[in-house]
Amino acid sequence: MKYLKTFESYNFNNILYHGSEERHEFGSRGYITDGTFFSEDINVAKGYGKYVYRVEIKDINIFDTLNINDVTKLFDEFGELYDSYYGDDGGDYYIKTTDQLMNHSDNWGIIENTDGVLDWMRGKYRGVRLIEGGSESNILLFYPKEDIISYNII
């Protein structure tokens, strides 16, 4: 089973980066709350503020929006997802296939705006890997205060 999990789950090296305009003491000072964004790319983190942290996290279960097994589970649960970006024209736009979600340029908006999805994810995963703004891959940790092993400002 251990080997199967490696192929079915998102696998990263447990080092993430967090950029902010203010200094943090994770869990006690600064605006670090449950549901905080991190990046695997230091350059993306730098775009979020002058203070950039290198953060080591525990080996946790991350929902990966680019993994067919994870996305299939999501569609099995919800059937279709709502895309509010395209729904602004007065009509509704729904994501109905795994390919639509996995190839979408900003799947965060879909996950965020479909009722129940984030709660479902929080119940099964410690975070989610998502795409924002066309190519920016970010990690939303649901419980960063619990899952961070160490951090330092770089």
Side-chain angles (χ1 to χ4, degrees):
M1 279 301 197
K2 181 178 178 182
Y3 297 108
L4 183 61
K5 179 177 167 67
T6 302
F7 292 105
E8 288 184 351
S9 299
Y10 176 57
N11 188 17
F12 58 94
N13 66 9
N14 295 37
I15 301 299
L16 301 175
Y17 300 93
H18 177 79
S20 175
E21 286 299 323
E22 62 179 69
R23 293 179 69 97
H24 295 302
E25 291 179 24
F26 289 78
S28 63
R29 208 179 105 218
Y31 189 65
I32 293 295
T33 61
D34 290 343
T36 297
F37 288 91
F38 297 82
S39 179
E40 296 169 285
D41 184 340
I42 191 171
N43 292 316
V44 170
K46 287 178 180 179
Y48 285 89
K50 62 185 176 182
Y51 299 105
V52 177
Y53 294 85
R54 180 185 183 274
V55 179
E56 181 181 6
I57 65 170
K58 297 175 184 176
D59 186 18
I60 58 174
N61 191 16
I62 300 279
F63 182 94
D64 185 359
T65 60
L66 301 179
N67 178 294
I68 188 68
N69 294 324
D70 285 351
V71 174
T72 298
K73 290 174 191 174
L74 180 65
F75 276 90
D76 287 348
E77 184 70 24
F78 289 92
E80 62 186 15
L81 307 173
Y82 179 67
D83 187 347
S84 63
Y85 178 79
Y86 290 104
D88 287 345
D89 63 2
D92 290 330
Y93 185 80
Y94 290 92
I95 303 296
K96 297 181 179 190
T97 69
T98 55
D99 285 342
Q100 282 180 299
L101 182 66
M102 292 174 67
N103 294 312
H104 201 283
S105 64
D106 191 335
N107 55 35
W108 167 236
I110 296 163
I111 289 166
E112 179 183 36
N113 290 302
T114 301
D115 288 341
V117 169
L118 282 173
D119 290 335
W120 177 82
M121 287 180 175
R122 277 188 195 101
K124 298 184 177 304
Y125 303 90
R126 303 294 293 182
V128 58
R129 177 182 182 218
L130 45 96
I131 304 300
E132 293 183 278
S135 63
E136 188 176 298
S137 174
N138 286 318
I139 308 292
L140 170 61
L141 294 181
F142 297 135
Y143 311 102
K145 295 174 193 175
E146 298 171 17
D147 293 334
I148 290 174
I149 296 171
S150 65
Y151 66 92
N152 62 298
I153 197 165
I154 52 178

